[in-house]
């Protein structure tokens, strides 16, 4: 499996290095075809995942424990939340903290009677909330069940091996999962390093270009390899806690300098509206339809991104969830990080809205995806300290996302071991680094293109096969889960 995955990745990377523009043109053409034929499939899949997870969590099935009956959770709620959040969101909340809410305010996705600020936050919540974590939670639940209840290997093919006994087909499924994971991870590193470069340019009033981004990618890949080499307890857990503490400090500082009553009002109003509108939003139904162009640039891309991250994030969450019930896992994954993200965007979004109101006019100061948060902090005391802290956070979040993924990919390729060999961790660290360089080059293929545009188009394509497999895997799992519950019920009544 390792040799097949590395072979495909090596050939793909080589093609990008040799024919960058031609590869980009092919990706662009294919992404349009996927968008036109399967874009809404992503929406329906996301809604289905949320409803399914809530149904399982609130039903008697939610009592099923990942592990032995009396086994206690391996990690505290604090450590567990820090690790799952660092792996699952991380640098993204810094990338979009200011840019996305202000974009939605200035360019409302659809006509609404809501105040523009509430609509902007509601749609931002929609794209970062329950659906994203439902993709992760579904995968965590299925893998966790087969790992800790059925005692199977940490392989996606383990979930369907009773249905598909053919070893070649199962290997193909694992390779598909690996490639989906790699593309999602590479997109995140490419975006994160480009934002760090944008921050350095803003702070130093310089113009660091492509070479600086490539150097940053090298540094982050090396740090991630070191963390993955140390393992979950010594590397990933410690770094995740540090990330969350620094993030909370930045959030608290921004909140104190903001209009706190206004922030709280927007947070509760937008959260309430999001819950009320969740189903029509998820279906892009009627007046909630922002149109194909908007959906392509935003929602379809986000859903493809979350899907691409689902294998490694979900499996990593499963790996750290031993001893928890399905109810604890699913409600914890859906609610805790979602509310944290909503509050984050409420603080930064509301503060940005008030800055724009104070300026009297908006000239696109926060339009730059890679520079918006640095421009934002430029309006606060200790701006340089805040911006340097943001860069440190970006590095920390990227490292924790990459080291988690390297660890999970190593599990896949090392016969499903829960503690994979360090040789596999080294190999994956190296090839993820090379693939990220390839994506960054794609993002510089044309003057009108950047890493974000390249990542959007690539992920909409690469996530599609895995999305179809995810539906099949879920049906197989539900059959197994209902069988398990029925057997447990019969056994309890016999006694």
């Amino acid at each position: 499996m390792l040799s097949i995955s590395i072979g495909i990745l090596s050939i793909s990377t080589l093609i990008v290095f040799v024919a960058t523009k031609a590869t980009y043109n092919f990706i662009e053409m294919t992404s349009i075809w996927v968008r036109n034929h399967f874009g809404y499939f992503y929406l329906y899949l996301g809604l289905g995942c949320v409803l399914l997870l809530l149904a399982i969590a609130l039903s008697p099935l939610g009592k099923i424990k990942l592990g032995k009956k009396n086994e206690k959770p391996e990690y505290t709620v604090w450590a567990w939340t820090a690790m799952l959040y660092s792996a699952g969101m991380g640098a993204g909340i810094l990338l979009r903290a200011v840019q996305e809410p202000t974009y939605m305010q200035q360019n409302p996705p659809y006509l609404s009677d809501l105040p523009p600020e509430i609509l902007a936050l509601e749609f931002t919540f929609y794209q970062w909330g329950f659906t994203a974590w439902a993709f992760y939670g579904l995968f965590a639940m299925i893998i966790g069940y087969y790992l800790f209840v059925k005692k199977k290997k940490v392989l996606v093919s383990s979930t369907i091996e009773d249905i598909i006994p053919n070893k070649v087909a199962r290997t193909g499924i694992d390779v598909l999962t690996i490639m989906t994971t790699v593309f999602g991870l590479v997109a995140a590193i490419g975006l994160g390093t480009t934002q760090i470069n944008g921050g350095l340019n803003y702070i130093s009033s310089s113009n660091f270009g492509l070479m600086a981004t490539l150097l940053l990618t090298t540094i982050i890949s090396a740090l991630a390899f070191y963390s993955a080499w140390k393992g979950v307890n010594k590397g990933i857990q410690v770094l995740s806690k540090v990330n969350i503490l620094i993030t909370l400090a930045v959030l608290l500082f921004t909140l104190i300098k903001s209009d706190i009553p206004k922030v709280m009002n927007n947070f509760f109003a937008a959260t309430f509206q999001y819950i009320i509108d969740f189903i029509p939003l998820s279906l892009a139904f009627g007046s909630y339809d922002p149109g194909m162009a908007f959906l392509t640039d935003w929602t379809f891309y986000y859903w493809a991104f979350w899907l691409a991250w689902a294998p490694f994030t979900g499996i990593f969450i499963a790996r750290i969830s031993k001893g928890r019930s399905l109810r604890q896992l699913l409600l914890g994954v859906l609610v805790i990080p979602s509310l944290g993200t909503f509050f984050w965007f409420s603080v930064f979004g509301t503060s940005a809205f008030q800055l724009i109101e104070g300026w009297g006019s908006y000239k696109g100061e926060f339009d730059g995806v890679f520079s918006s948060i640095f421009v934002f902090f430029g309006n606060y005391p200790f701006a340089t300290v805040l911006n340097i802290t943001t860069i440190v956070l970006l590095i920390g979040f990227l490292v924790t996302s990459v080291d988690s993924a390297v660890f999970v990919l190593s599990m896949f390729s090392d016969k499903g071991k829960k503690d994979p060999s360090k040789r596999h961790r080294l190999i994956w660290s190296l090839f993820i680094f090379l693939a990220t360089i390839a994506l960054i080059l794609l993002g510089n293929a044309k003057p009108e293109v950047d890493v974000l545009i390249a990542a959007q188009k690539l992920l909409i394509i690469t996530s599609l096969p895995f999305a179809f497999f995810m539906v099949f895997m879920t049906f197989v799992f539900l059959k197994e889960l209902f069988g398990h519950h029925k057997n447990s019920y019969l056994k309890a009544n016999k006694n």
Side-chain angles (χ1 to χ4, degrees):
M1 191 195 312
L2 178 63
S3 57
I4 296 171
S5 303
I6 292 300
I8 294 171
L9 193 58
S10 299
I11 293 169
S12 304
T13 304
L14 185 61
I15 290 171
V16 174
F17 285 151
V18 173
T20 307
K21 283 189 179 179
T23 305
Y24 179 82
N25 290 335
F26 173 76
I27 290 171
E28 184 175 41
M29 187 172 59
T30 309
S31 70
I32 292 170
W33 182 85
V34 171
R35 177 199 72 188
N36 291 339
H37 290 85
F38 297 102
Y40 282 88
F41 169 66
Y42 282 122
L43 292 185
Y44 304 148
L45 180 62
L47 176 60
C49 283
V50 175
L51 297 179
L52 175 64
L53 264 59
L54 285 173
I56 291 174
L58 299 176
S59 75
L61 296 171
K63 295 179 181 178
I64 295 173
K65 180 165 279 193
L66 300 178
K68 296 176 183 176
K69 191 174 181 179
N70 298 317
E71 194 165 11
K72 292 183 178 179
E74 189 174 357
Y75 298 99
T76 64
V77 173
W78 156 238
W80 183 73
T81 304
M83 284 193 284
L84 76 88
Y85 199 85
S86 291
M89 288 291 169
I93 62 169
L94 293 166
L95 185 73
R96 297 289 198 177
V98 175
Q99 185 264 342
E100 185 164 336
T102 53
Y103 180 89
M104 298 299 169
Q105 182 208 31
Q106 299 295 317
N107 306 275
Y110 51 82
L111 294 175
S112 173
D113 294 331
L114 293 172
E117 293 78 12
I118 301 301
L119 177 61
L121 289 174
E122 179 195 9
F123 210 84
T124 302
F125 293 179
Y126 165 56
Q127 295 183 144
W128 287 83
F130 300 150
T131 310
W133 289 98
F135 286 139
Y136 298 166
L138 178 69
F139 222 88
M141 172 179 66
I142 294 174
I143 294 296
Y145 176 83
Y146 282 98
L147 177 62
F148 298 121
V149 178
K150 302 295 288 184
K151 306 298 182 184
K152 294 195 175 185
K153 293 180 179 179
V154 189
L155 290 172
V156 176
S157 60
S158 296
T159 66
I160 47 87
E161 66 182 8
D162 295 335
I163 304 294
I164 303 178
N166 185 286
K167 190 175 180 181
V168 174
R170 295 205 311 270
T171 300
I173 288 165
D174 287 327
V175 170
L176 170 66
T177 305
I178 287 172
M179 299 314 298
T180 305
T181 299
V182 168
F183 286 125
L185 181 66
V186 161
I189 304 170
L191 292 171
T193 51
T194 305
Q195 187 184 15
I196 294 169
N197 194 17
L200 292 173
N201 284 336
Y202 180 82
I203 292 170
S204 63
S205 301
S206 302
N207 188 25
F208 299 117
L210 177 61
M211 291 307 297
T213 303
L214 297 179
L215 177 61
L216 287 166
T217 304
T218 305
I219 294 169
I220 286 166
S221 298
L223 290 171
F225 163 65
Y226 178 75
S227 180
W229 183 275
K230 299 295 286 184
V232 174
N233 291 327
K234 291 183 180 177
I236 298 171
Q237 182 183 180
V238 173
L239 194 52
S240 297
K241 287 181 177 179
V242 171
N243 285 345
I244 296 299
L245 287 172
I246 298 174
T247 303
L248 290 173
V250 171
L251 178 66
L252 182 61
F253 177 86
T254 309
L255 177 64
I256 290 170
K257 293 294 182 180
S258 305
D259 184 342
I260 295 177
K262 185 70 173 175
V263 169
M264 299 307 296
N265 177 72
N266 286 355
F267 168 67
F268 286 113
T271 300
F272 174 77
Q273 202 64 45
Y274 165 66
I275 293 170
I276 296 297
D277 295 340
F278 180 74
I279 290 179
L281 275 173
S282 298
L283 295 172
F285 179 74
S287 59
Y288 293 88
D289 184 0
M292 182 60 80
F294 189 97
L295 286 170
T296 301
D297 288 343
W298 292 93
T299 312
F300 293 167
Y301 159 66
Y302 269 127
W303 273 214
F305 200 104
W306 306 137
L307 272 168
W309 271 42
F312 90 83
T313 306
I315 289 173
F316 182 75
I317 293 171
R319 170 73 173 73
I320 63 174
S321 297
K322 186 178 181 182
R324 299 189 185 279
S325 68
L326 291 185
R327 182 170 297 138
Q328 289 172 326
L329 169 67
L330 297 179
L331 293 181
V333 167
L334 278 175
V335 176
I336 296 174
S338 293
L339 289 178
T341 302
F342 297 168
F343 190 69
W344 173 273
F345 280 113
S346 296
V347 171
F348 283 90
T350 302
S351 301
F353 301 153
Q354 292 186 309
L355 282 174
I356 292 171
E357 187 179 344
W359 294 338
S361 64
Y362 181 63
K363 299 177 182 177
E365 287 85 350
F366 300 138
D367 285 359
V369 178
F370 303 116
S371 61
S372 58
I373 195 167
F374 302 106
V375 176
F376 172 81
F377 281 138
N379 294 275
Y380 282 77
F382 313 110
T384 302
V385 174
L386 286 168
N387 281 328
I388 291 172
T389 303
T390 302
I391 289 173
V392 171
L393 259 182
L394 280 166
I395 294 170
F397 273 129
L398 280 174
V399 170
T400 50
S401 293
V402 178
D403 62 15
S404 304
V406 166
F407 201 84
V408 169
L409 286 167
S410 301
M411 290 183 201
F412 285 160
S413 60
D414 197 11
K415 302 177 182 178
K417 293 178 182 175
K418 284 187 279 186
D419 289 301
S421 76
K422 292 186 175 181
R423 181 176 71 89
H424 283 256
R425 301 180 209 181
L426 173 61
I427 291 171
W428 279 116
S429 296
L430 177 62
F431 277 91
I432 286 170
F433 164 68
L434 292 174
T436 305
I437 298 296
L439 177 69
I440 292 170
L441 292 177
L442 274 178
N444 287 268
K446 294 180 178 180
E448 69 274 16
V449 173
D450 61 21
V451 175
L452 177 60
I453 294 171
Q456 286 173 330
K457 296 181 186 301
L458 179 66
L459 288 178
I460 284 174
I461 300 167
T462 58
S463 295
L464 184 64
F466 186 76
F468 284 120
F469 169 72
M470 204 163 167
V471 174
F472 173 68
M473 180 179 70
T474 302
F475 278 114
V476 173
F477 168 72
L478 288 175
K479 183 180 177 183
E480 168 69 37
L481 194 65
F482 282 116
H484 175 98
H485 180 66
K486 183 179 179 181
N487 291 337
S488 299
Y489 178 78
L490 292 173
K491 189 176 178 182
N493 283 344
K494 267 188 180 181
N495 296 333

